[in-house]
Amino acid sequence: MSVIVRLIANFLRERPWQFALAVTLCALGLASAVGIVWLQSVLESHARRQAQGIDIVVGAKGSALQNVLTAVYYLDVPNGNIRLSDVEKLRSHPQVAQVIPLAMGDSAAGARIVGAGNEFVDFYGATVASGALPSAPLEAVIGASVATRAKLKIGDQFVGAHGMGDGAEEVGGHESYPYVVTGILKPTGRVIDQLVVTPMQSVWLVHEGHTGATEPEATFALVKARGPVAMATLPRFINSIDGLQAAVPAMESARLLTSFDWVAVVVKAFAAILIFAAMASLLGALLQALARREPEIALLRAMGASRSRIASLVFGESLLLVLVGALLAGCLLAAGAWAMTTFVLPGIGIDATDGILLWLAGLTVALLLAFVATIPVLWRSFSIDVAAQMSSR
């Protein structure tokens, strides 16, 4: 076995660039294939978790998807406002289990300010880590991610700004209406970690005289229905009310994710090309190495080396390449997951177990492909003319 190990070491020493190229292609292909499947699973799970308990989003008439993206994921702007009196009518409907009205405010430190009662905090299962929930206008409780990013603490004041994003403060704010932090929420892994929650009256006060409304307004209402029958009939009833539109988050989210299926197909196809290119590179490297090593293999066979030992040499080299490529792919996936949870979608809640299982599945496929790619090399090694090689030495 020590002879086999030395021969494998010689292969790496004589062909370092070919080995590095094959390893890189294998790592990129495996990381791409596993990464896109993992990301798709994570995003679908994240979307379901954020919309959990929200059967219907009631908003102004317009784009249903836009209403869902704004009211559930806080990734867009609302179509407009709705009358609070219309929202209150829904509370008395026999098929409605719960209604939570929201008034979208401006932003602070890149986080959306949401006017809602404390039932909104309870709905997301959030609890106070320090301080207390707001009890008066211009008091606010902030999500865990907002507190960390903005370095806010109990008693601090901040001013809402028009627009969204980190540069929103520069656009212009409402300096006459500062908010005071009364509480900081514990992390939940849901969208409330990224929000500032204040009583609805705060949003009305800050924007008093700006909207031209003659009666109190909300931006959205989150509705929980009383079972499947209610889900079948409530949207039609809501849409029949002047100015209201019902959007079902489950349907809109599925439609959005489906529209990006072609991206996943393209990336998976590219990953497959990379993996097959890696296997072709592996085959080429092994064939070239075999051509240079034919006298050594002939000597091994003349000394009584069995075909299984020769196979160990050939498969050992391909196995080493795939394992090194898989380890590099694992490092790339771990770095990507860290970047996703740190910079792109903080608190998204990536399940490392799913990633490991997918990586193992990808490794299994890569090993099978490497085995197939190695068969021609193995066949050629068994066909070496030992007598001719020995006589030429």
Side-chain angles (χ1 to χ4, degrees):
M1 185 59 68
S2 60
V3 176
I4 301 297
V5 173
R6 284 201 301 270
L7 289 174
I8 293 176
N10 289 337
F11 164 70
L12 299 180
R13 189 163 50 248
E14 294 171 1
R15 293 285 187 273
W17 293 111
Q18 281 186 322
F19 180 78
L21 175 62
V23 165
T24 301
L25 289 173
C26 181
L28 290 176
L30 189 58
S32 299
V34 173
I36 191 64
V37 175
W38 191 17
L39 179 60
Q40 190 174 19
S41 173
V42 167
L43 290 178
E44 290 176 355
S45 175
H46 180 71
R48 287 193 298 268
R49 186 166 62 251
Q50 302 313 314
Q52 185 178 354
I54 304 174
D55 292 327
I56 301 172
V57 170
V58 180
K61 291 191 182 298
S63 168
L65 176 59
Q66 185 175 343
N67 281 341
V68 170
L69 289 176
T70 308
V72 179
Y73 305 109
Y74 298 87
L75 297 175
D76 209 331
V77 294
N79 291 316
N81 291 332
I82 57 179
R83 292 185 297 270
L84 191 61
S85 57
D86 290 335
V87 176
E88 294 302 322
K89 290 178 183 177
L90 295 176
R91 291 187 187 275
S92 58
H93 195 284
Q95 293 179 322
V96 172
Q98 186 179 17
V99 176
I100 301 177
L102 312 176
M104 292 289 184
D106 297 306
S107 66
R112 175 76 75 178
I113 297 175
V114 179
N118 292 338
E119 61 180 346
F120 179 78
V121 177
D122 296 335
F123 174 80
Y124 281 99
T127 55
V128 177
S130 59
L133 294 175
S135 58
L138 297 180
E139 293 183 349
V141 63
I142 58 177
S145 297
V146 180
T148 301
R149 184 174 68 249
K151 296 180 173 56
L152 291 172
K153 56 184 184 300
I154 305 300
D156 285 350
Q157 292 188 342
F158 62 90
V159 176
H162 298 300
M164 290 296 295
D166 294 334
E169 297 286 350
E170 302 173 3
V171 179
H174 300 278
E175 291 78 7
S176 301
Y177 300 97
Y179 292 88
V180 59
V181 178
T182 63
I184 298 174
L185 299 175
K186 294 179 180 178
T188 64
R190 299 188 69 183
V191 72
I192 197 170
D193 294 346
Q194 314 289 334
L195 301 179
V196 174
V197 184
T198 184
M200 192 177 294
Q201 291 83 354
S202 303
V203 178
W204 296 341
L205 179 63
V206 171
H207 295 90
E208 189 175 9
H210 293 185
T211 62
T214 58
E215 60 178 292
E217 292 182 326
T219 312
F220 295 106
L222 307 182
V223 176
K224 187 171 184 178
R226 295 185 185 276
V229 175
M231 280 299 300
T233 58
L234 265 179
R236 182 179 300 177
F237 168 76
I238 293 170
N239 289 332
S240 68
I241 300 176
D242 183 41
L244 297 189
Q245 181 179 38
V248 180
M251 293 176 57
E252 298 302 326
S253 299
R255 188 177 302 159
L256 178 64
L257 291 172
T258 301
S259 66
F260 287 99
D261 279 350
W262 67 271
V263 178
V265 171
V266 171
V267 175
K268 289 175 185 176
F270 178 69
I273 292 172
L274 285 176
I275 292 176
F276 279 107
M279 295 306 106
S281 177
L282 167 64
L283 176 60
L286 291 177
L287 285 173
Q288 288 190 20
L290 179 62
R292 295 170 59 90
R293 197 185 294 148
E294 284 186 356
E296 298 173 351
I297 294 178
L299 180 60
L300 286 174
R301 291 183 56 187
M303 294 173 60
S306 63
R307 290 191 172 189
S308 61
R309 294 198 67 184
I310 302 300
S312 299
L313 169 63
V314 177
F315 285 124
E317 291 170 349
S318 60
L319 177 64
L320 178 63
L321 183 147
V322 172
L323 289 178
V324 174
L327 288 175
L328 180 57
C331 293
L332 292 174
L333 289 169
W338 174 81
M340 175 69 72
T341 56
T342 305
F343 302 109
V344 182
L345 287 172
I348 191 173
I350 292 180
D351 189 347
T353 303
D354 287 345
I356 293 173
L357 292 176
L358 287 170
W359 177 83
L360 289 173
L363 173 59
T364 302
V365 173
L367 288 173
L368 290 174
L369 291 175
F371 175 80
V372 173
T374 306
I375 290 176
V377 183
L378 189 61
W379 180 264
R380 181 174 169 180
S381 67
F382 290 160
S383 304
I384 293 176
D385 190 335
V386 177
Q389 291 292 333
M390 295 302 293
S391 62
S392 65
R393 291 178 64 85

